[in-house]
Amino acid sequence: MISLNIEKTLGFISKENVFAYEAQVKAAQEALENGTGKGNDFLGWLHLPSSITKEHLADLKATAQVLRENCEAVVIAGIGGSYLGARAVIEALSNSFAWLQDKKSGPVILYAGHNIGEDYLYELTEYLKDKKFGVINISKSGTTTETALAFRLLKKQCEDQRGKEMAKKVIVAVTDAKKGAARVTADNEGYKSFIIPDNVGGRFSVLTPVGLLPIAVAGFDIEKLVAGAVAMEKACGKDVPFAENPAAIYAATRNELYKNGKKIEILVNFNPKLHYVSEWWKQLYGESEGKENKGIFPASVDFSTDLHSMGQWIQEGERTIYETVISVEKTQYSLQVPSDEANLDGLNFLAGKHVDEVNKMAELGTQLAHVDGGVPNMRIVIPALNEESLGGLLYFFEKACGISGYLLGVNPFNQPGVEAYKKNMFALLNKPGYEEESKAIQARL
Ligand code: PA5
């Protein structure tokens, strides 16, 4: 189970003020449970972990097995909430060098549809040229340009290389039950498909097939992931007292910090495998809270790497930041620092120590330095990088995000702001139906 410690924020804000949120948090929890708050048509994520059935997991695992057996590579096509959760879990659990290993334990997992990089897509299609590959096409709307464009390329290549019949077997859709181009294509072509529930928004969808299918294809245990989330659903439940509810404390603390001028939250890890957990978290909080000219700006760093780039700013820059550190208690493997007779690097004082002992002292030393430098610190400890811990961590952040958004007074479940760039892009590309916008935007150039 994960734990949250806010002690190192208390020189900057008072415990009393954090606990003063208790009634507001209770109201937010009730609004979530009763569906009486803003965005209440998107609350399907709230009890998702405990409502996932064995049959559903078995269906996902069976489809994953088909892909694992028939593919050397599987491309996850999706953007934002339709890919970040899967990538967060897969990268956290994968061997850092898995894709370079000759003997692979499953298909190489690749990503597309999350950018419009011509060179990226060219290089991807080149890499796939001699590979037996499959695609998971993930899009709730089924019309997202980035994903649709990548899928158009990948579908054709898969059919050309593997034939229509095999393509049908190794292309899977995760999309809306009824609407959108991805649904129509899946039905017309006869692809296996999974439904993204109407009431679950993209950034809260990691525990739907959006996240679960790719994670299963990558060879990880989705039952354990869900079990971790179920445990956290309980731990953050509405009847859990405020002081014992990590989601409540996190939501209250970050709102109190924000009120005290801390406008930027930096999610920190000391394990490079957590990089994409931070990317997922940034989307979750950025899209949920950044509206109505309000919201904490979610940023992230990978330490100790970024201590050599961003460390200076964090230590001595503008004092508008706080950090939330995710600490992984136990490593998966064991590696000790060897002794060296010449000791030219002067590191013999570390000989015999585990690398993680050094990392943990870097973590502690950094926390103390940053607190001394005026940066409040929260600390989330997860026992290990495994499916259970990650399932718990993801649900914890989701629940806290729902509460936190309500404390801030915004609708945490919409994202009206993401339409602005799309409208301009379509106008600039002369998309049919955008004639007026095209004229208007051309006049501005
Ligand atoms: O959280 C969100 O709603 C967004 O990030 C979407 O997931 C993203 O824009 C992709 O949308 P779609 O799944 O419709 O392709």
Side-chain angles (χ1 to χ4, degrees), residues 116 145-146 420-430 441:
I116 325 176
T145 310
E146 288 88 340
Y421 97 92
K422 292 184 194 168
K423 201 180 98 192
N424 286 348
M425 177 175 76
F426 293 148
L428 290 164
L429 289 166
N430 297 314
I441 207 160

Side-chain angles (χ1 to χ4, degrees), residues 79-82 138-142 144 147 201-203 283 287 415:
I79 193 167
S82 285
I138 310 175
S139 178
K140 187 172 184 203
S141 63
T144 298
T147 307
R203 57 190 176 276
Q283 189 212 355
E287 261 188 6
Q415 54 285 327

Side-chain angles (χ1 to χ4, degrees), residues 356-398:
D356 197 51
E357 284 180 73
V358 183
N359 201 27
K360 289 287 191 296
M361 289 310 110
E363 188 183 316
L364 182 57
T366 304
Q367 187 190 45
L368 295 172
H370 288 181
V371 171
D372 287 346
V375 182
N377 260 245
M378 277 192 265
R379 191 157 180 265
I380 295 166
V381 180
I382 63 173
L385 271 191
N386 57 33
E387 285 90 338
E388 272 121 332
S389 292
L390 286 166
L393 184 69
L394 298 179
Y395 186 84
F396 156 76
F397 277 134
E398 287 183 356

Side-chain angles (χ1 to χ4, degrees), residues 42-285:
F42 284 100
L43 295 173
W45 57 273
L46 190 61
H47 295 298
L48 195 56
S50 55
S51 57
I52 295 174
T53 63
K54 278 207 160 29
E55 293 70 32
H56 182 53
L57 291 176
D59 190 13
L60 287 162
K61 285 197 313 195
T63 305
Q65 198 50 32
V66 172
L67 290 172
R68 285 178 67 79
E69 277 164 14
N70 291 284
C71 301
E72 294 165 309
V74 173
V75 186
I76 316 298
I79 193 167
S82 285
Y83 105 105
L84 281 167
R87 191 163 194 176
V89 174
I90 293 168
E91 306 254 336
L93 296 176
S94 296
N95 182 305
S96 308
F97 305 98
W99 61 287
L100 288 172
Q101 283 163 356
D102 293 336
K103 210 169 163 295
K104 299 194 170 54
S105 57
V108 176
I109 305 294
L110 302 161
Y111 301 89
H114 58 297
N115 62 46
I116 325 176
E118 183 158 351
D119 291 344
Y120 182 92
L121 286 167
Y122 178 87
E123 287 164 6
L124 175 68
T125 51
E126 274 296 301
Y127 171 80
L128 292 171
K129 260 191 179 147
D130 57 353
K131 306 279 183 313
K132 292 180 188 153
F133 78 92
V135 187
I136 308 179
N137 186 32
I138 310 175
S139 178
K140 187 172 184 203
S141 63
T143 54
T144 298
T145 310
E146 288 88 340
T147 307
L149 197 154
F151 184 64
R152 179 182 275 228
L153 289 164
L154 293 166
K155 175 179 185 287
K156 181 171 183 322
Q157 186 174 353
C158 187
E159 286 171 353
D160 290 350
Q161 278 176 217
R162 309 198 67 182
K164 268 235 166 209
E165 273 318 298
M166 182 48 101
K168 255 188 212 175
K169 204 167 167 180
V170 295
I171 297 179
V172 179
V174 181
T175 187
D176 187 83
K178 294 194 191 87
K179 51 181 198 303
R183 166 54 54 204
V184 177
T185 308
D187 291 347
N188 286 354
E189 301 284 353
Y191 299 152
K192 169 79 181 169
S193 67
F194 290 92
I195 292 168
I196 309 174
D198 270 349
N199 60 357
V200 181
R203 57 190 176 276
F204 288 87
S205 69
V206 59
L207 295 171
T208 72
V210 170
L212 296 178
L213 181 62
I215 293 166
V217 171
F220 301 114
D221 190 331
I222 53 175
E223 269 159 11
K224 287 188 179 157
L225 186 86
V226 170
V230 171
M232 190 52 65
E233 187 185 323
K234 273 200 200 112
C236 301
K238 81 169 170 49
D239 296 325
V240 177
F242 180 82
E244 291 159 32
N245 184 331
I249 299 285
Y250 179 59
T253 307
R254 61 199 302 284
N255 273 274
E256 181 60 13
L257 286 164
Y258 183 57
K259 224 164 88 184
N260 283 272
K262 304 297 180 190
K263 308 279 188 198
I264 301 165
E265 176 172 2
I266 306 178
L267 193 70
V268 177
N269 69 68
F270 280 79
N271 186 323
K273 291 188 181 192
L274 285 170
H275 178 83
Y276 272 92
V277 168
S278 298
E279 295 302 311
W280 171 85
W281 171 88
K282 283 193 281 193
Q283 189 212 355
L284 181 66
Y285 281 82

